Amino acid sequence: MDEDSMKMVEKLPNPVESNTSAESRPEQEPETMRIAFRYNQLAPVDSEQKSSTPLGHYFDLTKTIPSTTLDAQDITCWNGDERPDGSGGIGSFSNPQYASLLSCIHRKASEQQFNSTSGESAKSVLRISLNSIGSPSWYDKNFSTDFLRFIALLKAIVRNTLSVCLITVPLHLLRHLDDHQLHKKVINLFDFSFELEAFAGQMEEHANPAFKEYHGLLNITKIAPFNSLAAFHPKTRDLAFKLKRSKFVIEKLHLPPDIADDDSGTKMQVPTLSCASGGMKSKLDF
């Protein structure tokens, strides 16, 4: 409800079939080390979190997807005007917009190509994208109850069909509601959850030279053992992201061992015992 869904689709960046950026160029031969010659045989360290396939990971952010390509795709948008038809056992909500959205998703997911048990040969995956669910546009007196029930019913629809769902939630706003545990309950209902902490507007991070090449931090908050006996444990959870011309890069965050300010004017003066000046260290003290 916060933004026109078709306008969001029209702003999607144009994907590129192959990586033609600087990352795909042949690497230059590393300089031969004369002293630490044993390090010559070690592979160069690459902290970028890469996928096994380049498909769907490279985009030209200066161009949008052509309208002819979008028209050829099966895209369904919900604008909030339609009312629920009462089918699918969705039930009632205090806010009718939740029932309307669930009814639209359930009707689309019930098509044969998204049914995992049907004998349809041409099956496909339904990709559901919900932007800013839980924003102030959804608030009412029973917001917490309706919101949790909506996510639980949506999760049941996704699990029983060939569907995946990406939801963006302003969790920083949920922490200021009367139900102070709502943000934890929401994360508990998700299979995977992560937070993006942008540096824009935060002067402290901009002043820190350790973060000068990044645009923000990526915090993994939950990884569920989905279709497995144990959850996946990444090598590190200290991740940072930066936006390039062709892709959204996620890298391991490596901090330098020490970040010191060499400006002598900001250093604290240490009082000393002396026979000359008023207790402050000076080159003339003895």
Side-chain angles (χ1 to χ4, degrees):
M1 293 192 299
D2 297 336
E3 188 176 354
D4 188 357
S5 53
M6 278 308 302
K7 291 183 179 180
M8 291 184 58
V9 173
E10 293 172 356
K11 294 179 181 177
L12 293 176
N14 189 32
V16 293
E17 297 180 358
S18 60
N19 182 18
T20 57
S21 59
E23 290 86 354
S24 63
R25 298 173 185 172
E27 298 183 355
Q28 298 179 356
E29 291 292 333
E31 184 179 358
T32 304
M33 299 182 183
R34 298 181 180 179
I35 300 178
F37 57 89
R38 292 185 178 179
Y39 290 97
N40 286 331
Q41 308 200 0
L42 296 179
V45 178
D46 188 2
S47 59
E48 181 180 345
Q49 307 297 293
K50 297 181 179 179
S51 174
S52 57
T53 172
L55 179 63
H57 289 273
Y58 296 95
F59 301 87
D60 188 354
L61 301 181
T62 61
K63 301 178 182 178
T64 57
I65 300 179
S67 58
T68 55
T69 304
L70 294 176
D71 294 337
Q73 306 302 319
D74 183 12
I75 301 176
T76 302
C77 296
W78 177 80
N79 54 14
D81 295 336
E82 59 181 297
R83 289 294 177 261
D85 53 8
S87 63
I90 293 175
S92 61
F93 289 83
S94 176
N95 187 347
Q97 300 294 340
Y98 289 110
S100 174
L101 178 56
L102 274 178
S103 179
C104 178
I105 295 174
H106 183 266
R107 183 168 57 252
K108 187 66 179 180
S110 300
E111 297 181 2
Q112 290 298 321
Q113 65 267 29
F114 306 126
N115 191 347
S116 58
T117 59
S118 67
E120 186 80 15
S121 58
K123 293 184 179 181
S124 182
V125 176
L126 176 63
R127 297 172 178 87
I128 306 170
S129 177
L130 304 179
N131 183 42
S132 294
I133 294 292
S135 65
S137 301
W138 297 82
Y139 289 174
D140 62 359
K141 60 180 180 179
N142 294 324
F143 169 73
S144 299
T145 304
D146 283 353
F147 189 45
L148 294 175
R149 187 167 182 264
F150 169 80
I151 297 178
L153 292 176
L154 176 61
K155 188 174 182 179
I157 295 175
V158 173
R159 286 288 180 86
N160 290 279
T161 57
L162 299 176
S163 307
V164 293
C165 184
L166 173 65
I167 305 178
T168 60
V169 180
L171 289 178
H172 64 286
L173 297 180
L174 301 185
R175 295 186 177 95
H176 299 285
L177 299 178
D178 295 336
D179 188 355
H180 300 291
Q181 301 298 323
L182 179 61
H183 68 285
K184 295 182 179 179
K185 297 176 184 178
V186 171
I187 294 177
N188 188 46
L189 288 174
F190 292 152
D191 292 328
F192 304 93
S193 174
F194 61 92
E195 297 180 359
L196 295 179
E197 181 182 351
F199 292 159
Q202 301 182 11
M203 299 304 298
E204 182 179 354
E205 281 80 2
H206 277 300
N208 194 336
F211 301 134
K212 62 181 180 180
E213 61 175 322
Y214 299 109
H215 292 151
L217 301 177
L218 189 146
N219 304 318
I220 301 176
T221 54
K222 182 181 179 181
I223 302 178
F226 188 61
N227 291 337
S228 61
L229 297 177
F232 170 75
H233 294 281
K235 296 181 179 180
T236 178
R237 290 178 180 264
D238 298 327
L239 302 174
F241 67 88
K242 55 185 175 181
L243 185 61
K244 291 186 176 182
R245 185 180 181 275
S246 61
K247 61 179 176 177
F248 184 82
V249 181
I250 300 176
E251 294 183 351
K252 299 177 183 178
L253 183 62
H254 296 286
L255 295 179
D258 186 20
I259 302 177
D261 190 359
D262 295 334
D263 188 3
S264 60
T266 60
K267 290 184 179 180
M268 183 180 298
Q269 293 181 338
V270 180
T272 57
L273 295 177
S274 62
C275 300
S277 59
M280 307 306 292
K281 187 176 180 180
S282 174
K283 294 181 179 180
L284 299 178
D285 293 343
F286 58 90

